[in-house]
Amino acid sequence: MTKRAASGISFAVLAVALATPAAAQTAPIDAPAGSAEQSPAAAPASAASESASTGALGDIVVTAQRRTERLQDVPLSVTAIGAADLARARITDVSRLQLLSPGLTWGQQGSDSFPAIRGVRTQLVSAQSDPVIGFYLDGIYQSRTQQQSIPLFDVARVEVQRGPQGTLYGRNTFGGNLSVTTNAPTKKFEAGVNGTIGNYDLYQFDSYLNLPVSDAVQLRVAAYHSQHDGYVRSTQSFRLLDEDQTALRGSIAIALTPDIQIDARGGYWKRDNTGGGAYGYRVGGTLINPATGLRSINGQPYAVNPSARNGTNIVSGVDIGVSVTGDPYTNSWDYKPFEQLEQAYGSGSIAFDLGFATLRSITGYTDFHAYRSADLDQSNIVFPATGTSGGFAASGLQAANTYTTSVTQEVQLASAGSTRFEWIIGGYYFHDRITEYY
């Protein structure tokens, strides 16, 4: 069992001098990410591709510098992907962003994510370690890499921010950030449903409803569900890599006065399926030196699993392991794993227009639980196996149970408008309590 509690307070002052004044914005320069002031329909991040036929440069709005501004005015390397492009490429979670964002690659072991930006990769995902690629959901930091599996639905845009982002985003952003901004409530009634049906009994849908209660109050709710059968079979008559998950989200925007804006969000996500294990779903083989019977990088390929031995494959007097199936979609596990992820979260912001600047307070709370298991030896050998002579050479299972509670508080004072000289002053508090059992 591992327990860790981390707290931090950071302060930052940033001033940016611009060579020329920025052109007209498509959203208020001081609107917070995903706020009601920043309408998702105002400037989708796919505008550049949609205006390419006319030769015009679309206004792609991002918040990489903690303020709403056009992408071409941001002196950072950022890929912004809007709702239209996300739907077109069927980006249902951030792991698939590598299909659209140069320099981003993704590793996955069960529910554990290992993103890399420009070669800077998260290596360890246990409670003792922190990621080096930050993940933000509506401006709120998500501390565990398993949280990056949350489905994307009713999303305004996703930003891939490359390079160290510590000045504006703080800890664990050495390689960059992945920032998801969901659609904010608007003053227009709208509703929609999207659905997908596919093989392996895939059923996936998401929906949203936007209600303008009054000129000062707007509500928005969204829901998502996805399920499909597993496409990897075990010789023990069960399947892996299936999916069954549901997510809900609600948001409200309140204009108390023309100078005071309140935005709040809350959501719930649950995933309960077999998953794919902790270290991949099968062993394809290994390299063995036929002269010694030992594993070697210069050896020859053998279709065996060296983690379990039963005396059936002997090379130079050495038991090199049990045979594995030749079908890449079939394994020989004798243990059926599980993958259970559950998250409840909420956030709120209040912004005061002071004329010369905007004062904003952003508060976030996240309660996350991940419980997942795997067949540790990835075979159907049962301990004690015949021919086993000591060492780790038999069956076993691994189950990691992680509980995380996070609280964040941020205060910003940002200059108003778009001028040659812009500045932002802020303070940030983060408390993360993690308990993990193996």
Side-chain angles (χ1 to χ4, degrees):
M1 181 185 74
T2 301
K3 290 186 177 181
R4 191 191 73 170
S7 298
I9 300 177
S10 62
F11 296 91
V13 178
L14 179 68
V16 179
L18 303 178
T20 58
Q25 307 299 308
T26 58
I29 191 70
D30 301 314
S35 70
E37 301 170 63
Q38 184 189 333
S39 170
S46 58
S49 59
E50 294 171 356
S51 62
S53 60
T54 64
L57 182 61
D59 284 339
I60 307 174
V61 175
V62 297
T63 55
Q65 297 191 118
R66 303 301 241 185
R67 63 170 73 232
T68 302
E69 52 194 338
R70 299 186 311 165
L71 178 60
Q72 56 263 45
D73 296 328
V74 177
L76 300 172
S77 179
V78 179
T79 296
I81 306 169
D85 288 331
L86 291 171
R88 188 178 299 115
R90 200 172 178 272
I91 306 298
T92 55
D93 60 60
V94 292
S95 68
R96 293 176 60 83
L97 290 174
Q98 63 179 332
L99 303 176
L100 300 179
S101 178
L104 173 66
T105 58
W106 204 270
Q108 192 85 27
Q109 293 181 352
S111 61
D112 297 322
S113 301
F114 298 83
I117 297 179
R118 290 176 170 174
V120 179
R121 179 179 298 277
T122 294
Q123 300 285 352
L124 301 174
V125 295
S126 64
Q128 301 95 329
S129 306
D130 287 316
V132 297
I133 306 297
F135 178 57
Y136 288 81
L137 180 60
D138 286 319
I140 305 300
Y141 177 63
Q142 313 292 300
S143 65
R144 298 294 91 199
T145 63
Q146 298 86 12
Q147 293 171 274
Q148 298 171 9
S149 299
I150 192 169
L152 300 181
F153 62 102
D154 196 31
V155 169
R157 69 178 179 280
V158 178
E159 298 174 29
V160 180
Q161 304 163 2
R162 303 175 185 83
Q165 300 288 335
T167 300
L168 290 174
Y169 287 88
R171 54 181 280 163
N172 306 334
T173 57
F174 179 75
N177 287 332
L178 304 174
S179 179
V180 177
T181 301
T182 63
N183 281 323
T186 66
K187 296 182 179 181
K188 177 182 178 181
F189 174 82
E190 55 184 351
V193 177
N194 301 300
T196 302
I197 298 177
N199 58 349
Y200 294 96
D201 288 331
L202 168 66
Y203 296 95
Q204 181 182 94
F205 73 87
D206 65 90
S207 59
Y208 67 91
L209 174 64
N210 190 89
L211 294 174
V213 179
S214 67
D215 287 340
V217 179
Q218 296 87 42
L219 296 172
R220 191 180 187 96
V221 293
Y224 173 94
H225 178 76
S226 177
Q227 65 181 62
H228 64 74
D229 294 337
Y231 52 86
V232 172
R233 297 177 181 269
S234 170
T235 56
Q236 306 303 304
S237 301
F238 61 83
R239 294 190 178 193
L240 296 90
L241 294 176
D242 62 336
E243 183 177 296
D244 187 354
Q245 62 178 336
T246 300
L248 304 170
R249 185 174 61 246
S251 55
I252 184 171
I254 303 173
L256 286 183
T257 72
D259 299 327
I260 302 177
Q261 174 73 34
I262 296 177
D263 297 281
R265 286 180 173 83
Y268 177 78
W269 165 47
K270 184 175 183 179
R271 181 169 185 165
D272 189 356
N273 43 240
T274 302
Y279 300 108
Y281 65 87
R282 72 184 297 270
V283 175
T286 190
L287 299 176
I288 300 292
N289 184 340
T292 63
L294 303 177
R295 280 181 281 180
S296 171
I297 194 172
N298 296 316
Q300 297 180 9
Y302 285 78
V304 297
N305 177 359
S307 296
R309 302 183 286 273
N310 64 358
T312 58
N313 294 291
I314 307 297
V315 174
S316 297
V318 178
D319 188 347
I320 62 173
V322 298
S323 299
V324 298
T325 63
D327 182 1
Y329 296 100
T330 303
N331 67 20
S332 56
W333 289 16
D334 58 357
Y335 168 74
K336 183 178 180 178
F338 57 82
E339 180 182 56
Q340 300 170 1
L341 307 177
E342 188 173 17
Q343 175 167 303
Y345 58 96
S347 64
S349 69
I350 180 168
F352 301 88
D353 185 355
L354 306 178
F356 72 97
T358 299
L359 177 64
R360 180 175 295 110
S361 173
I362 306 170
T363 305
Y365 173 84
T366 302
D367 186 87
F368 176 70
H369 177 216
Y371 191 23
R372 61 270 192 218
S373 68
D375 190 322
L376 199 56
D377 65 345
Q378 300 195 7
S379 78
N380 58 5
I381 302 300
V382 179
F383 182 84
T386 303
T388 298
S389 57
F392 181 72
S395 70
L397 62 92
Q398 179 196 55
N401 199 358
T402 306
Y403 296 86
T404 302
T405 302
S406 302
V407 177
T408 64
Q409 175 61 52
E410 182 174 0
V411 178
Q412 302 174 1
L413 181 64
S415 59
S418 178
T419 63
R420 292 178 180 271
F421 182 77
E422 298 175 352
W423 53 267
I424 182 171
I425 302 172
Y428 181 81
Y429 170 81
F430 172 68
H431 180 82
D432 197 25
R433 181 176 293 276
I434 305 170
T435 303
E436 190 167 83
Y437 303 88
Y438 275 95

